[in-house]
Amino acid sequence: MASARRGIVAYGAYVPFFRLQKSAITAALGTGGGRGTRAVASYDEDATSMAVEACRSLMRTAPDGLVPDAVYFATATPPYLDKTNANVIHAALDLPSRVFAGDVGGSPRSVHAALRSALGGSRPTVVVASDVRSGRPGSADEANTGDAAVAWLIGSDDDGPVVAEWIGGASATEEFLDRWRLPEWNYSRVWEERFGEHAYLPLVTEAAEAAFKECQIEPADVDRVVIAGLHARAVRGAARAAGVDAAKVVDDLSTTVGQTGSPHAGLVLASALDEAAPGETIMVIHLVDGVDVGFLRTTDAIADYQQSIPVAAQVEAGNDSLDYNTFLTWRGFLEREPPRRPDPEAPAAPPSFRSDRWKYAFVGSKDASSGAIHLPPQRVSVKGGAVDEMEPIPMADVPATVVTFTIDRLAYSLSPPVIAVVIDFDGGGRFQCQLTDATPDDVKIGDRVSMTFRRMMTAEGVHNYFWKARPAEG
C-alpha cells in the first residue's frame, strides 16, 4: 500500500495593518528609505501575538475537529527568553493540554528545523513563524525589513486533503559571518554586502543541484519559484545560481511588506498558493545561514481551498499613513513623554492561571437555561439568577457591532488616545474593550468589528496578552 501524501493541509498568513512609507525615512533623516512600503507591527503586537493571528487564520480552514499533535513556534525575535512563547499560542488556540508546544529560535533558519521535524513525522503538526524586524534608524534593515507571521498545518491525507504535497529538498550549510545580533541588541549588524553574496551563491547552486537530483525534477518542470533571504544581493542572484528561469520567480513582497525574516519564505509561498492551480511544482529557495531548497506540488484539493484572507488582500488593506516618529516610538528608538498616569501593573500569575481560557482563548460562559452569554464568564446568570449552570462558549471568532464608544486621551498607552468601545456580539454577549488598528476619526456606532489577540502592555518584564476589537475586514 502506498504511503499517504504528506505536506501542507492548511495555511494561514498574517500581515499587520500598518505600513510605513519608506520615503518617510528619507524625509526625516535625509538618508535611508527608498521606494514602496514596509509592514509594521502595531504598538500592541509582537511576534507571539502575530503568530496567534496566523494560527487563527489557519484553523478557520483546517479540517473540522482536527487537533494538532504539536505546535512549533519559530522566531528570531522572541518576546520572552527563558520562557516558552509557544505556550501563549497554545492557550490562545484553546488546545488540549496533551498538545505539545515548543519554541524553535535563534535565527530565521530555525523555521526549517521545525518544518523538518513536522514533515518527517506522522502526526498533524502546526508550524508557525513570526518576526518583528527592526534596524538602526536610517539603515537598510529599517527600510527593507517588515513584520508578519505565517502558519502551516503539516499533515497527511489521513488528516485532511493535502493541498501541497512535499516532494523533498536539500540543504547546504557553511559557517560564515553575514548578520548577527546579541540578545541585548534591538537591531542586527551586517557584514559587507559583497562578501555575503560571495558566500551564499555557491551554496544556492549546491543545494539546488542536490534537490533537483533527489526529487528527480528538472528546472523546466518548475512552475513557480519562491526566493527569500535577508541578503538582498544574494537573493537577486539566486535564480541564476539555482539554474531556474528568473521569469518564474514570484513577487517576494519586498516593496509592499518588506523582508520579514523567519516567516518570509512561507509568506511568499502562501501568496503563491493563493493563486496556484492543481499540479503546479513550486520551488522554494531560502537563503539564511546557509541555503535550504524544497519542492512542493499542488494537488487537486488546492482548487477548492482558500485561506480566510489571502495575502494579496491583506497587503491591499494596509494603512500606509503611519508617520516615522510613531514608528520609532513603537520600536523603542524614540522615548516620548508618557501620559500623566500611574504606570501599569504587571498581571499576577495566579489569577492569570485560574482564568487562562478567558484571558488567552476568550472563552465566556453561557447560561444553559436562559442562553445568556457572560463576558467575562460568571457563575451566576444575569437572567434568572441560575448558579453554576454555565457552559463554556468560545467568542474569539464571533463578529460584533459597536454600540457606543469613547476616546480616552488620558489613559496609559504607547499610542494614545485609547479608543474604548462597547460591542454586542452576534447571537448575544456584550463586552467593553479597546479598539485597535483604527484612529478616533475611523470609529462610529454600528461599525462591524472582530476580535484580535494583542499585547495590552508590558510591566515589570511581564507581557499582558488579551483581546481587543479591530475593524472587520471588508
Side-chain angles (χ1 to χ4, degrees), residues 4 121 197 237 252 267-268 286 334 342:
E197 183 181 26
D252 67 355
L267 180 69
V268 179
H286 195 194
L334 179 60

mmCIF file of all heavy atoms in Angstrom, residues 4 121 197 237 252 267-268 286 334 342:
data_model
loop_
_atom_site.group_PDB
_atom_site.id
_atom_site.type_symbol
_atom_site.label_atom_id
_atom_site.label_comp_id
_atom_site.label_asym_id
_atom_site.label_seq_id
_atom_site.Cartn_x
_atom_site.Cartn_y
_atom_site.Cartn_z
ATOM 1 N N ALA A 4 0.586 7.538 2.598
ATOM 2 C CA ALA A 4 -0.216 8.736 2.394
ATOM 3 C C ALA A 4 0.690 9.924 2.078
ATOM 4 O O ALA A 4 1.800 10.032 2.599
ATOM 5 C CB ALA A 4 -1.055 9.018 3.640
ATOM 6 N N GLY A 121 7.548 13.628 10.493
ATOM 7 C CA GLY A 121 6.708 12.916 11.442
ATOM 8 C C GLY A 121 5.516 12.273 10.777
ATOM 9 O O GLY A 121 5.398 12.231 9.545
ATOM 10 N N GLU A 197 27.181 37.835 -0.634
ATOM 11 C CA GLU A 197 26.838 37.327 -1.955
ATOM 12 C C GLU A 197 27.840 36.246 -2.380
ATOM 13 O O GLU A 197 27.449 35.193 -2.910
ATOM 14 C CB GLU A 197 26.829 38.479 -2.960
ATOM 15 C CG GLU A 197 26.416 38.081 -4.358
ATOM 16 C CD GLU A 197 26.450 39.273 -5.303
ATOM 17 O OE1 GLU A 197 27.218 40.221 -5.037
ATOM 18 O OE2 GLU A 197 25.723 39.237 -6.311
ATOM 19 N N GLY A 237 20.582 37.200 -7.097
ATOM 20 C CA GLY A 237 21.372 36.307 -7.942
ATOM 21 C C GLY A 237 21.027 34.843 -7.782
ATOM 22 O O GLY A 237 21.624 33.986 -8.452
ATOM 23 N N ASP A 252 8.322 38.758 -4.339
ATOM 24 C CA ASP A 252 8.761 38.458 -2.975
ATOM 25 C C ASP A 252 8.230 39.453 -1.953
ATOM 26 O O ASP A 252 8.637 39.423 -0.788
ATOM 27 C CB ASP A 252 10.287 38.391 -2.902
ATOM 28 C CG ASP A 252 10.945 39.743 -3.139
ATOM 29 O OD1 ASP A 252 10.237 40.723 -3.455
ATOM 30 O OD2 ASP A 252 12.190 39.813 -3.011
ATOM 31 N N LEU A 267 5.578 33.163 3.872
ATOM 32 C CA LEU A 267 4.620 34.193 3.483
ATOM 33 C C LEU A 267 4.520 34.290 1.967
ATOM 34 O O LEU A 267 3.416 34.365 1.401
ATOM 35 C CB LEU A 267 5.041 35.536 4.076
ATOM 36 C CG LEU A 267 4.144 36.730 3.777
ATOM 37 C CD1 LEU A 267 2.811 36.595 4.497
ATOM 38 C CD2 LEU A 267 4.834 38.037 4.173
ATOM 39 N N VAL A 268 5.672 34.300 1.289
ATOM 40 C CA VAL A 268 5.666 34.359 -0.178
ATOM 41 C C VAL A 268 5.076 33.078 -0.753
ATOM 42 O O VAL A 268 4.336 33.109 -1.752
ATOM 43 C CB VAL A 268 7.090 34.609 -0.706
ATOM 44 C CG1 VAL A 268 7.102 34.651 -2.225
ATOM 45 C CG2 VAL A 268 7.652 35.915 -0.143
ATOM 46 N N HIS A 286 15.520 29.298 0.226
ATOM 47 C CA HIS A 286 15.633 30.184 1.394
ATOM 48 C C HIS A 286 17.105 30.337 1.751
ATOM 49 O O HIS A 286 17.790 29.358 2.050
ATOM 50 C CB HIS A 286 14.860 29.599 2.577
ATOM 51 C CG HIS A 286 14.628 30.586 3.672
ATOM 52 N ND1 HIS A 286 14.206 30.217 4.929
ATOM 53 C CD2 HIS A 286 14.754 31.937 3.716
ATOM 54 C CE1 HIS A 286 14.084 31.298 5.687
ATOM 55 N NE2 HIS A 286 14.418 32.348 4.974
ATOM 56 N N LEU A 334 12.652 55.963 20.061
ATOM 57 C CA LEU A 334 12.296 57.323 20.449
ATOM 58 C C LEU A 334 11.430 57.249 21.699
ATOM 59 O O LEU A 334 10.266 56.843 21.644
ATOM 60 C CB LEU A 334 11.536 58.027 19.310
ATOM 61 C CG LEU A 334 11.073 59.462 19.569
ATOM 62 C CD1 LEU A 334 12.262 60.365 19.855
ATOM 63 C CD2 LEU A 334 10.276 59.983 18.382
ATOM 64 N N PRO A 342 -0.473 56.729 36.576
ATOM 65 C CA PRO A 342 0.401 55.722 37.186
ATOM 66 C C PRO A 342 0.820 54.680 36.162
ATOM 67 O O PRO A 342 0.063 54.318 35.263
ATOM 68 C CB PRO A 342 -0.495 55.103 38.272
ATOM 69 C CG PRO A 342 -1.530 56.136 38.563
ATOM 70 C CD PRO A 342 -1.766 56.853 37.262
#
